[in-house]
């Protein structure tokens, strides 16, 4: 347990008493108790940020690395950490709440005021030539303004340290570096090992380590350069360690200090540049960085990302948090994608998850397809083949047999959306080999299921893993689709027979197992306990059980009963797990449980930072310190699942039907508000639509499809909180059945006459945040007095 966290001044931390600390070990405390923080953390200016120590990223699409923006607001790379200080003597900055330019672009902004001086930071990354392989540079602009009515001295400093205290531990929110893998896709971090005897020097506007420039500072008549914070000015420009032992790795060096007398409301702007990988002093790269400017590179960065966003799916609802999180999530995944030679490696982030996993990447590539970026998806999918084993199985993590199903499913989904026959032909030989592995593995298994294994992560059991069979079924459906598309009649029959046999066998085992669990589908099929994961996938991404099966309902109810703070828990309820919640959200959409799905969306967004980044949160305890430790944000799988879930709420396929507006929030159905979906990719072809709420009693839905294969029907879902009187499609009254209306695939203009039901819920992201803050404050008060917050 992290008892003390004191880098942020003025923070109150609640902990166990000294006697208990003496009796119980540090690790035991962390395992059995949930520390809370002062709820005043949420009282400051700016948007809500769930995490007490959020991390952010600045980077470019497909570059091999990126920069972590630390909880304090520093820039951390494989080569060092650029720090900023204010005051005399110097005090490190510590600004937890940050925002993104325009609400979603990867340009970090934050500000604070100290002693009447306001400091505004803007940070972004760009390559000098605009290509992923170009020289990657971090740009920082600081605007400093005297907000008082009298002259003030503004003191500001920069410096670089190798790392902070306990870096790579759970309390310091940094990743391990350097690291090299044995193959492309392994964990990798460019960087350098620390040398206490490094020598530093200062140039006209740069700080150097040996013969390399580590950062560039703005020239100003008021600036001075020092070795460390406590050293004297070094007139010679040579900064050299003193003593036999050299410098500790936590010591800031190359301190550049500015003393700026400012008149009332006078403003000064200073710009820094830091190459993510240091460059040789006097080289062409050095010259190019010297010439590059903040004002030149920022507009180019903005234009690049905006052009990406304008090509694909856009969803707009009347809540900025939802809209901005949707856009930012795409950018987070694109930054986490690395081009290595001719390979496009989809990592989960460029920090501690700077590696490749089939399960994460299959979802992320599917998100690209659903979002209208088939070329980007194809580039990611092409890397999957490198993880097929000689026996035909796909494995990216030892002991985990879900990869084969995930690859085959993603292959099938990519074809279903793109109808790219050449792609299907290219992957089909590997599909045949993968299905052969499934057949052989099942023949050798006593239950004729996917073999027993020890996956380690996720379910944390040894035995037959429920999710592995569900994924195999999903994959076999993808294989059947591809064989059919290629007119491979024999293989299609073989694949379908294998699917039918596995499904029959699996359902028979489930029937037997769930008789002992009141219908709940367990993570394993051998009677052992485990962690909910793949057992939650019976309806999504493939409908493998009957939609109305009691097992589906029992499993949904059982897992929702484990929610804390509105989201799913893991490891026997000890930890929150944010993106695991999305599995239930998708199931709820299929079952028509609209209110639950909307609740899930808001609670998932609650557990993001002010920059819409989420952690896996497997280090965050319910109603605890909200610190993800070393499990750094942003998390790419969460980002993909958020986008997929919101897309599916708006438009989704189910069999031969296309469903619209499966779940909407009451906040989005207000007079004058609009829900708009542009450039949605579906298996039937592209689709756009908007719902305009003309008044409290009438809405207009306009559908603009470009179907290449018409759905059987369009199913329009009506909100549970509205009483719908009439629906008229292109002048024809439609039959309302429950909360749905069946529309012709050619329906274009639909008028809905409705009114809000009495007692309609007042649901919104802001309301969820407000309720959470109130409950957190109540529990923290109990924790302060009793050491154990009670559930209301």
């Amino acid at each position: 347990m992290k008892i003390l966290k004191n880098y942020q001044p003025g923070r109150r931390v609640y902990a166990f008493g000294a006697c208990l600390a003496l009796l119980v070990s540090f690790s035991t405390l962390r395992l059995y108790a949930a520390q809370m923080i002062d709820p005043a953390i949420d009282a400051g200016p700016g948007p809500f940020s769930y995490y007490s120590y959020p991390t952010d990223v600045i980077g470019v699409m497909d570059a091999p690395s990126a920069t972590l923006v630390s909880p304090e607001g520093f820039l951390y790379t494989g080569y060092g950490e650029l720090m900023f200080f204010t005051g005399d003597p110097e005090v490190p900055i510590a600004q937890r709440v940050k925002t993104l330019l325009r609400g979603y672009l990867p340009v970090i902004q934050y500000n604070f005021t100290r002693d009447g001086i306001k400091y505004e930071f803007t940070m972004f990354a760009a390559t000098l030539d605009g290509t992923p392989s170009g020289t990657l540079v971090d740009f920082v602009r600081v605007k400093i303004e005297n907000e008082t009515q009298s002259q003030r001295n503004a003191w500001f400093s920069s410096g670089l340290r190798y790392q902070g205290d306990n870096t790579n531990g759970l309390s310091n929110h940094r990743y391990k570096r350097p690291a090299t893998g044995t193959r492309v896709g392994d964990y990798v971090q460019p960087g350098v090992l620390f040398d206490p005897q490094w020598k530093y020097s200062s140039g006209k506007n740069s700080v150097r380590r040996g013969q390399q420039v580590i950062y560039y500072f703005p020239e100003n008549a008021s600036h001075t350069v020092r070795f460390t914070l406590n050293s004297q000015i070094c007139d010679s420009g040579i900064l050299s360690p003193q003593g036999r032992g050299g410098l500790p790795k936590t010591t800031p060096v190359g301190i550049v200090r500015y003393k700026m007398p400012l008149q009332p409301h006078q403003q000064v702007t200073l710009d820094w540049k830091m190459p993510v990988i240091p460059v040789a002093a006097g080289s062409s790269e050095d010259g190019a960085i010297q010439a590059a400017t903040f004002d030149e590179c920022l507009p180019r960065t903005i234009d690049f990302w905006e052009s990406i966003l304008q090509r694909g799916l856009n969803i707009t609802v009347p809540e900025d948090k939802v809209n901005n999180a949707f856009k930012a999530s795409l950018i987070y995944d694109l930054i986490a994608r690395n081009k290595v030679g001719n390979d496009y490696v989809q990592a989960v982030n460029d920090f501690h998850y700077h590696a490749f996993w089939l399960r994460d990447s299959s979802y992320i590539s599917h998100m690209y397809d659903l979002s209208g970026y088939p070329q980007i998806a194809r580039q990611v999918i092409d890397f999957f083949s490198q993880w097929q084993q000689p026996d035909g199985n796909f494995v990216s993590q030892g002991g985990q047999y879900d990869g084969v199903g995930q690859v085959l499913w993603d292959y099938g989904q990519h074809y279903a959306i793109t109808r790219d026959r050449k792609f299907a032909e290219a992957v089909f030989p590997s599909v045949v080999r993968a299905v052969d592995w499934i057949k052989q593995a099942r023949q050798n298994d006593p239950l004729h299921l996917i073999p027993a294994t020890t996956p380690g992560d996720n379910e944390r059991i040894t035995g037959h893993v429920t999710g592995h069979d569900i994924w195999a079924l999903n994959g076999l459906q993808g294989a059947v689709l591809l064989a059919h598309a290629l007119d491979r009649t024999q293989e299609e029959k073989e694949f379908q027979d294998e699917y039918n046999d596995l499904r029959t066998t699996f359902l028979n085992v489930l029937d037997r197992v769930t008789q002992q669990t009141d219908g709940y589908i367990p993570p394993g099929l051998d009677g052992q306990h485990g962690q909910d994961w793949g057992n939650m996938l019976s309806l999504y991404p493939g409908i493998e059980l009957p939609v109305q099966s009691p097992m589906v309902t029992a499993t949904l109810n059982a897992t929702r009963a484990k929610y804390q703070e509105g989201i799913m828990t893991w490891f026997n309820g000890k930890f929150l797990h944010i993106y695991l919640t999305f599995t239930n959200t998708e199931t709820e959409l299929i079952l028509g449980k609209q209110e639950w799905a909307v609740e899930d969306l808001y609670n998932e967004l609650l557990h993001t930072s002010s920059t819409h980044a989420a952690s896996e949160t497997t280090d965050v305890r319910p109603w605890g310190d909200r610190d993800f430790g070393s499990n750094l944000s942003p998390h790419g799988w969460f980002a993909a699942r958020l986008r997929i879930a919101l897309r599916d709420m708006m438009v989704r396929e189910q069999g031969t039907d296309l469903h619209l507006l499966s779940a909407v929030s009451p906040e989005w159905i207000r007079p004058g508000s609009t829900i708009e979906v542009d450039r949605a990719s579906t298996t039937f072809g592209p689709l756009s639509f908007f719902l305009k709420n003309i008044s409290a009693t009438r809405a207009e839905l306009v559908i603009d499809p470009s179907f290449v294969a018409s759905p059987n029907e369009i199913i329009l879902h009506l909100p549970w909180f509205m009483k719908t009187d009439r629906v008229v499609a292109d002048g024809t009254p439609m039959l309302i059945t429950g909360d749905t209306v069946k529309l012709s695939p050619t329906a274009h203009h639909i008028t809905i006459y409705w009114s809000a039901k009495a007692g309609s819920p007042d649901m919104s992201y802001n309301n969820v945040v407000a309720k959470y803050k109130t409950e957190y404050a109540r529990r923290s008060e109990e924790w302060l007095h009793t050491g154990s917050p009670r559930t209301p």
Side-chain angles (χ1 to χ4, degrees), residues 417-430:
I417 288 175
T418 64
R419 300 179 184 272
D420 184 347
R421 186 179 178 90
K422 290 184 177 179
F423 165 77
E425 291 171 342
V427 300
F428 196 72
S430 68

Side-chain angles (χ1 to χ4, degrees), residues 598-616:
V598 174
E599 287 176 352
D600 282 356
L601 176 69
Y602 282 139
N603 284 310
E604 286 150 351
L605 289 172
L606 169 72
H607 290 83
T608 63
S609 69
S610 53
T611 56
H612 324 303
S615 165
E616 188 173 14

Side-chain angles (χ1 to χ4, degrees), residues 212-371:
Q212 293 184 318
V213 179
I214 51 177
Y215 82 91
Y216 300 82
F217 56 83
E219 295 182 75
N220 187 290
S222 66
H223 84 266
T224 56
V225 181
R226 295 182 295 165
F227 179 30
T228 66
L229 292 175
N230 299 320
S231 67
Q232 298 299 314
I233 296 173
C234 189
D235 294 326
S236 66
I238 304 298
L239 314 175
S240 182
Q242 301 291 322
R244 181 176 300 175
L247 284 174
K249 61 180 65 176
T250 57
T251 301
V253 298
I255 306 299
V256 183
R257 192 183 198 206
Y258 300 83
K259 176 185 177 182
M260 296 163 287
L262 297 180
Q263 298 299 318
H265 303 291
Q266 181 183 356
Q267 186 180 92
V268 173
T269 299
L270 302 174
D271 293 344
W272 278 258
K273 291 174 282 190
M274 181 175 70
V276 173
I277 298 176
V279 300
S283 66
S284 59
E285 286 182 298
D286 181 12
I289 297 175
Q290 295 272 10
T293 67
F294 184 100
D295 290 325
E296 167 199 7
C297 293
L298 179 58
R300 191 180 72 194
T301 299
I302 294 171
D303 289 346
F304 172 82
W305 289 113
E306 290 288 12
S307 69
I308 291 284
L309 292 169
Q310 290 166 11
R311 283 167 37 197
L313 170 64
N314 183 54
I315 295 175
T316 305
V317 301
E319 286 189 287
D320 287 341
K321 176 67 178 183
V322 178
N323 301 333
N324 292 335
F326 185 74
K327 293 178 180 178
S329 293
L330 173 67
I331 293 172
Y332 286 144
D333 277 330
L334 291 173
I335 290 175
R337 197 179 82 150
N338 307 146
K339 190 173 188 297
V340 183
N342 293 322
D343 294 318
Y344 290 86
V345 182
Q346 182 66 61
V348 178
N349 61 31
D350 281 333
F351 305 149
H352 73 302
Y353 281 135
H354 196 187
F356 172 84
W357 289 271
L358 286 168
R359 70 166 57 86
D360 304 63
S361 294
S362 63
Y363 274 91
I364 295 172
S365 61
H366 184 52
M367 177 273 291
Y368 292 145
D369 270 329
L370 295 180
S371 298

Side-chain angles (χ1 to χ4, degrees), residues 450-517:
I450 299 300
T453 184
T454 303
D457 201 359
N458 304 338
E459 287 87 356
R460 300 184 68 84
I461 58 175
T462 294
H464 290 88
V465 180
T466 307
H468 291 181
D469 288 287
I470 295 176
W471 270 116
L473 290 169
N474 291 337
L476 287 167
Q477 287 202 57
V480 170
L481 188 156
L482 290 169
H484 181 77
L486 296 174
D487 300 317
R488 301 292 289 264
T489 306
Q490 180 179 342
E491 288 90 343
E492 180 183 0
K493 182 181 184 303
E494 291 175 0
F495 297 168
Q496 186 66 57
D497 288 345
E498 183 66 18
Y499 172 83
N500 294 341
D501 186 69
L502 174 56
R503 188 172 186 272
T504 299
T505 304
F506 178 62
L507 291 180
N508 287 337
V509 173
L510 272 189
D511 285 339
R512 174 176 52 79
V513 170
T514 55
Q515 288 178 14
Q516 310 301 318
T517 61

